Amino acid sequence: MASSSGQSWRDGMSSDNIKGLVLALSSSIFIGASFIVKKKGLKKAGASGVRAGVGGYSYLYEPLWWVGMITMIVGEIANFAAYAFAPAILVTPLGALSIIISAALAHIILREKLHIFGILGCVLCVVGSTTIVLHAPQEREIGSVIEVWELATEPAFLFYAALVVTIAFILIFHVIPEYGQTHIMVYIGVCSLVGSLSVMSVKALGIAMKLTLSGTNQLIYPQTWAFTLVVITCVLTQMNYLNKALDTFNTAVVSPIYYVMFTSLTILASVIMFKDWDRQNPTQIVTEMCGFVTILSGTFLLHKTKDMGDGTCCTTSLSMRLPKHGDEDDLALEGIPLKRLESLRSPRSP
């Protein structure tokens, strides 16, 4: 097994990386579809209750939202398993495929139009993902969750984790109350920052589960349960603020921006903690970065051309706002931030 894991692409992809690749692809399919199902559930719940974007939780009583949530959980389980077999620098960028699925289904089901250049963006995402897969590093050999804990408690990663937590708290308590409804980067920033820590903990748990199933019990170590606590905390935080972003802004905008920020921070965290690039030569690293930039280009092309199919002259900032749920007056006011919308409607009251 060790010799198989040490094979390079010239000799064939390692069995662990292949398993991680298949699981990551499956995860992208489920997660991409879940965005659309959850969006439909949020719209339906928002029509009869307090919307998630303004602090409501009526979507918890909507069956359609739960179908989307279950679909996402299945995808996340596959993603969880993928991190146990392959490095984050291989698994995480493959999330671009979920963007393609999400954009295509949004075009078909939610009628969020996808321009021809958006299709080109999808192609770029596939090309970039393929480039990364072909040059990804082999998984680091780890024999115990204690080794992962030692990596996580090195000064460089502790500094990164402290910085992430500090910025996340500032966004949650000082920025979101004032700018959450009008600036898409605020909600997504919290999701992405916290997400980079959750992926590192998920990978630690995945390794612990893989070793346990292979006969080396890792559940006896307190470090395993510490990583579990971090995962639960981070995932709940991500879910909360991702719901707010989806309910407040256009799905076809949320998906690519979240992907870009989340993937960038996750790769950074993985490079710091697991030192992925220490096992590669400069050519491989540069090629991976080129693949990643290609994916970024594709996701931003999807974003920038999203509304071109409508034939409208709306600016990007307006197209990013939430399509309101309700009557024709609501639709006519699409694109206006919630605070301004309330002020425009207030004169109508007797």
Side-chain angles (χ1 to χ4, degrees):
M1 175 64 75
S3 60
S4 173
S5 297
Q7 287 179 318
S8 66
W9 261 101
R10 282 176 285 184
D11 300 319
M13 192 175 187
S14 71
S15 60
D16 277 358
N17 274 21
I18 290 175
K19 292 174 185 176
L21 174 61
V22 172
L23 288 167
L25 292 176
S26 302
S27 171
S28 293
I29 293 173
F30 282 105
I31 292 175
S34 74
F35 270 102
I36 306 306
V37 180
K38 287 174 68 180
K39 178 77 171 188
K40 293 283 286 185
L42 288 169
K43 281 187 173 183
K44 191 173 179 180
S48 57
V50 181
R51 294 174 44 246
V54 291
Y57 294 93
S58 59
Y59 61 85
L60 293 176
Y61 301 97
E62 174 53 51
L64 189 59
W65 183 86
W66 281 107
V67 171
M69 193 66 217
I70 292 171
T71 304
M72 176 170 278
I73 290 172
V74 172
E76 292 296 348
I77 290 173
N79 197 47
F80 174 93
Y83 282 111
F85 292 98
I89 204 168
L90 166 62
V91 176
T92 307
L94 291 179
L97 300 180
S98 68
I99 297 177
I100 297 174
I101 294 168
S102 179
L105 292 178
H107 176 72
I108 296 170
I109 298 175
L110 300 180
R111 301 187 184 281
E112 297 177 357
K113 295 191 178 298
L114 183 64
H115 190 266
I116 185 65
F117 288 111
I119 297 175
L120 177 59
C122 293
V123 173
L124 288 174
C125 288
V126 172
V127 171
S129 298
T130 303
T131 302
I132 289 178
V133 168
L134 291 174
H135 297 86
Q138 301 300 330
E139 175 69 332
R140 184 190 186 106
E141 294 290 344
I142 293 179
S144 169
V145 71
I146 300 297
E147 294 180 34
V148 185
W149 182 263
E150 290 173 353
L151 292 172
T153 52
E154 289 186 357
F157 188 75
L158 285 177
F159 174 77
Y160 173 81
L163 185 63
V164 164
V165 171
T166 301
I167 296 174
F169 271 107
I170 291 174
L171 289 175
I172 292 171
F173 294 107
H174 296 284
V175 181
I176 283 179
E178 186 171 356
Y179 300 105
Q181 296 296 311
T182 56
H183 293 72
I184 192 171
M185 300 299 290
V186 180
Y187 286 141
I188 295 180
V190 174
C191 293
S192 302
L193 287 165
V194 174
S196 67
L197 296 182
S198 71
V199 168
M200 297 303 101
S201 298
V202 161
K203 184 167 181 63
L205 277 183
I207 292 171
M209 292 299 101
K210 182 175 72 171
L211 292 172
T212 299
L213 293 175
S214 66
T216 307
N217 188 9
Q218 301 296 304
L219 301 180
I220 60 175
Y221 298 114
Q223 288 86 346
T224 300
W225 301 105
F227 283 126
T228 302
L229 180 61
V230 173
V231 168
I232 293 173
T233 303
C234 291
V235 167
L236 289 176
T237 303
Q238 282 180 269
M239 184 179 71
N240 183 40
Y241 288 101
L242 182 57
N243 280 332
K244 293 179 183 294
L246 284 171
D247 194 50
T248 308
F249 302 98
N250 194 306
T251 307
V253 177
V254 171
S255 297
I257 295 179
Y258 175 54
Y259 167 78
V260 170
M261 291 188 65
F262 171 71
T263 304
S264 300
L265 290 170
T266 298
I267 290 176
L268 176 61
S270 182
V271 167
I272 295 173
M273 180 171 169
F274 289 97
K275 302 175 177 60
D276 293 325
W277 285 347
D278 288 356
R279 306 187 297 281
Q280 293 189 287
N281 59 49
T283 301
Q284 290 174 309
I285 295 173
V286 170
T287 303
E288 286 172 4
M289 289 299 95
C290 288
F292 184 52
V293 170
T294 301
I295 294 176
L296 298 189
S297 301
T299 55
F300 275 109
L301 190 58
L302 274 169
H303 163 45
K304 292 296 183 181
T305 61
K306 189 267 164 190
D307 291 311
M308 291 178 66
D310 297 333
T312 63
C313 298
C314 295
T315 64
T316 301
S317 61
L318 289 179
S319 70
M320 285 165 55
R321 303 292 187 256
L322 169 72
K324 301 296 179 286
H325 318 311
D327 55 22
E328 293 181 359
D329 282 345
D330 285 337
L331 295 175
L333 291 170
E334 176 182 345
I336 301 177
L338 293 179
K339 292 179 181 177
R340 287 182 54 205
L341 183 58
E342 291 171 0
S343 66
L344 286 173
R345 282 177 168 166
S346 58
R348 296 184 183 180
S349 303

